[in-house]
Amino acid sequence: MQSRQKLSLIIVALVLVIALILPARAQTPEPYKATLVIRVDQPRWTINRNLYGQFAEHLGRLVYEGLWVGESSPIPNTRGLRNDAVAALKELHIPVLRWPGGCFADEYHWRDGIGPRDKRPRRPNNSWGGVDTNAFGTHEFLDLCEMLGADAYVNGNVGSGTPQEMMGWIEYMTSDADSDLANLRRRNGRDKPWKIPYFAIGNETWGCGGNMRPEYYADVYRQYATFIKNHSGNHIQKLAVGGYDQNYNWTEVLMAQAAKYMDGLSLHYYTLPTGDWGKKGSATQFDEKEWHSTLARTLRMDEYIQRHSAIMDKYDPQKRVGLMVDEWGTWYDNEPGRDMGALYQQNTLRDAIVAGVNLNIFHKHADRVKMANIAQMVNVLQAMVLTDKEKMVVTPTYYVFRMYRVHQGATMMPVDLSTPEYKLGDAAVPSLSASASRDSAGRLHLSLVNLDPNHAAEIATSISSGSIRNVSGEVLTATAMNAMNTFDQPNTVKPAAFSSFKLQGSQLSLSVPAKSVVVLELETN
Ligand code: AHR
């Protein structure tokens, strides 16, 4: 080939390459700019480990299949509990686990779930459908807690139970005496009593737990609380049913009439993309409008906590009574073809963003919020783990809990964050959410959530005194807003090492990808 011909070919090839690359580059949106200062000079409250609590109800395939497969199952298990799920969940350092409901708690009779399994009664699950074999009962739950290293949070039955039944259950679990119930526990295979640090008196007594008025429940609560006894060195924190969303009157009445008898008051708030219980929105098929509305709705958690806390402050300025957000998370339409009562939903990158935003909110209010339990742990609503018979996969939400575990028990450090809004039409939310803490070993942790699905954030980051020496951590993101992990493709959304930062002298610039969750450890001087 002539050299002129060669040159022409090279030029044509170059023009083609440039023509292909330039538009793609032009489409990459410019990052937005933000500034963030961690106020290391203003350490605040401890981030209670229990903000990372979980919830396991007898509902759908959570307990049966998701956790309990039975000792004779071909699925590898330890004393009936599936090994894969337990191993994955152990990684989260779960501090506390709530059980057996939920609505189910107010129809659960503990004596059904003790003794030889083949003799236990089969009862209809009136809350969620199907028949409960009672194979998973008190011993199995507390065995699971011990395997996970989690504290037990037992939810008592007020709706269809009695104070005597509740009192007996507590004696059965926690007494070391030579009493009939403690001896029954021993005959059932457990010599030493268990510790039960948290016990709730009913669930959603304004709804599925009895449709009560707050004035009535306040009295019922006081009555039941009287019969919750501490045995053999166990100390129970008594939790009362609180309100939901903007149900401020419930909090007002409970605090006015029963605050001195309680250690915690619950709050339930679920994130629905549309806010409409009749048509909540799909877990996986959504556009940017629904991405935005989901995040706008989840951010309401901040306002709800502030306003319920303000009421609690009137009656309990010392903040002795904890606000326990013991149900939170996303709730979508039932997946087509799935059992209506099972509340099984897939989990996408959007759920990871929701999780990060809420955990940052809980840190911000950890002077009052002492526990939070995402709903729910396996196969139900915003789950950590999904199973399909012998298969198991972990979700994007799981990874957020794993990344954020560094904040458990650390001291909250306020952050001054200046960031533009992420707007869509008339709606606007902050584009970034951030939280920082210092752990007992002196390490500084920073978690960042970029809510904007299109633009990366360039964040000029500093600390109020001293300087940052090094940065390490992880980032969780994916190409699509609805990226998810499936049984066939379990690694679509998983954390990667974070390296997109520049550190020049004391100037740290972090480049946080669009739609991502980042958790960093900052080494400081
Ligand atoms: O988490 C599912 C259900 O939602 C719980 O059983 C109930 O407490 C709430 O309404």
Side-chain angles (χ1 to χ4, degrees), residues 406-411 413 437-445 521:
V406 292
H407 289 300
Q408 291 187 17
T411 303
M413 301 284 165
S437 71
R438 200 186 278 289
D439 66 23
S440 54
R443 291 178 293 242
L444 194 57
H445 302 285
E521 185 180 325

Side-chain angles (χ1 to χ4, degrees), residues 262-296:
M262 65 175 82
D263 299 295
L265 182 67
S266 67
L267 171 66
H268 290 181
Y269 174 54
Y270 284 100
T271 300
L272 279 58
T274 61
D276 174 357
W277 283 95
K279 197 168 183 350
K280 301 183 257 308
S282 160
T284 54
Q285 304 306 309
F286 54 87
D287 56 14
E288 190 179 341
K289 194 160 165 256
E290 228 162 80
W291 166 280
H292 196 283
S293 65
T294 305
L295 301 184

Side-chain angles (χ1 to χ4, degrees), residues 60 128-130 334-344:
W128 305 109
N334 213 49
E335 276 199 12
R338 295 270 182 181
D339 176 12
M340 278 298 283
L343 307 189
Y344 177 84

Side-chain angles (χ1 to χ4, degrees), residues 55 57 59 102-103 128 203-204 268 270 327 331 376 381:
F55 174 30
E57 180 165 12
L59 198 177
C103 294
W128 305 109
N203 168 70
E204 295 193 353
H268 290 181
Y270 284 100
E327 287 186 32
W331 194 325
Q376 298 195 12
L381 301 177

Side-chain angles (χ1 to χ4, degrees), residues 38-318:
I38 305 174
R39 302 306 311 244
V40 288
D41 54 334
Q42 293 175 12
R44 296 280 174 88
W45 35 81
T46 299
I47 295 172
N48 197 311
R49 294 186 63 223
N50 289 343
L51 298 183
Y52 289 81
Q54 297 281 338
F55 174 30
E57 180 165 12
H58 287 232
L59 198 177
R61 291 180 299 114
L62 197 165
V63 166
Y64 298 107
E65 185 191 304
L67 294 168
W68 177 262
V69 289
E71 285 160 327
S72 57
S73 169
I75 298 173
N77 67 84
T78 304
R79 296 186 295 282
L81 291 159
R82 61 187 294 166
N83 292 345
D84 53 359
V86 170
L89 292 165
K90 268 173 100 159
E91 294 272 303
L92 301 184
H93 300 175
I94 295 171
V96 61
L97 178 58
R98 179 178 182 229
W99 172 84
C103 294
F104 182 79
D106 282 296
E107 60 168 286
Y108 183 66
H109 299 284
W110 67 272
R111 280 178 180 271
D112 290 347
I114 57 168
R117 279 190 209 103
D118 58 349
K119 302 245 167 19
R120 295 186 192 174
R122 299 169 68 87
R123 306 266 188 225
N125 183 330
N126 295 300
S127 297
W128 305 109
V131 168
D132 197 312
T133 62
N134 278 303
F136 188 90
T138 300
H139 290 249
E140 292 76 14
F141 167 65
L142 293 167
D143 193 18
L144 172 65
C145 287
E146 286 182 343
M147 284 186 197
L148 296 175
D151 278 347
Y153 166 4
V154 176
N155 206 119
N157 176 347
V158 163
S160 66
T162 62
Q164 187 192 24
E165 184 185 13
M166 204 178 266
M167 194 163 79
W169 196 7
I170 290 165
E171 182 189 335
Y172 180 87
M173 293 186 287
T174 61
S175 170
D176 206 14
D178 180 16
S179 70
D180 274 10
L181 285 177
N183 286 332
L184 179 60
R185 183 197 66 235
R186 292 187 184 102
R187 284 201 300 283
N188 286 335
R190 174 75 184 197
D191 184 28
K192 264 187 19 198
W194 289 285
K195 294 279 184 233
I196 306 294
Y198 306 100
F199 195 95
I201 298 179
N203 168 70
E204 295 193 353
T205 41
W206 36 262
C208 64
N211 284 309
M212 300 173 195
R213 294 169 302 109
E215 293 79 7
Y216 178 77
Y217 173 65
D219 278 347
V220 169
Y221 174 81
R222 291 164 58 133
Q223 179 196 1
Y224 275 67
T226 309
F227 298 98
I228 293 194
K229 305 290 184 191
N230 287 325
H231 299 275
S232 314
N234 183 56
H235 178 75
I236 294 185
Q237 290 205 28
K238 299 172 197 173
L239 312 184
V241 172
Y244 56 92
D245 308 4
Q246 302 173 72
N247 187 352
Y248 301 118
N249 182 50
W250 187 278
T251 299
E252 185 83 49
V253 174
L254 263 289
M255 288 302 290
Q257 298 186 8
K260 71 175 178 182
Y261 304 100
M262 65 175 82
D263 299 295
L265 182 67
S266 67
L267 171 66
H268 290 181
Y269 174 54
Y270 284 100
T271 300
L272 279 58
T274 61
D276 174 357
W277 283 95
K279 197 168 183 350
K280 301 183 257 308
S282 160
T284 54
Q285 304 306 309
F286 54 87
D287 56 14
E288 190 179 341
K289 194 160 165 256
E290 228 162 80
W291 166 280
H292 196 283
S293 65
T294 305
L295 301 184
R297 286 182 179 281
T298 220
L299 282 159
R300 290 183 186 183
M301 180 67 90
D302 198 343
E303 181 197 330
Y304 296 158
I305 289 176
Q306 278 184 49
R307 295 192 55 186
H308 285 282
S309 298
I311 297 166
M312 293 175 81
D313 286 349
K314 280 198 294 176
Y315 301 94
D316 174 34
Q318 305 302 322

Side-chain angles (χ1 to χ4, degrees), residues 432-455:
L432 275 175
S433 155
S435 183
S437 71
R438 200 186 278 289
D439 66 23
S440 54
R443 291 178 293 242
L444 194 57
H445 302 285
L446 173 64
S447 46
L448 296 159
V449 186
N450 187 353
L451 284 69
D452 188 324
N454 305 312
H455 300 87

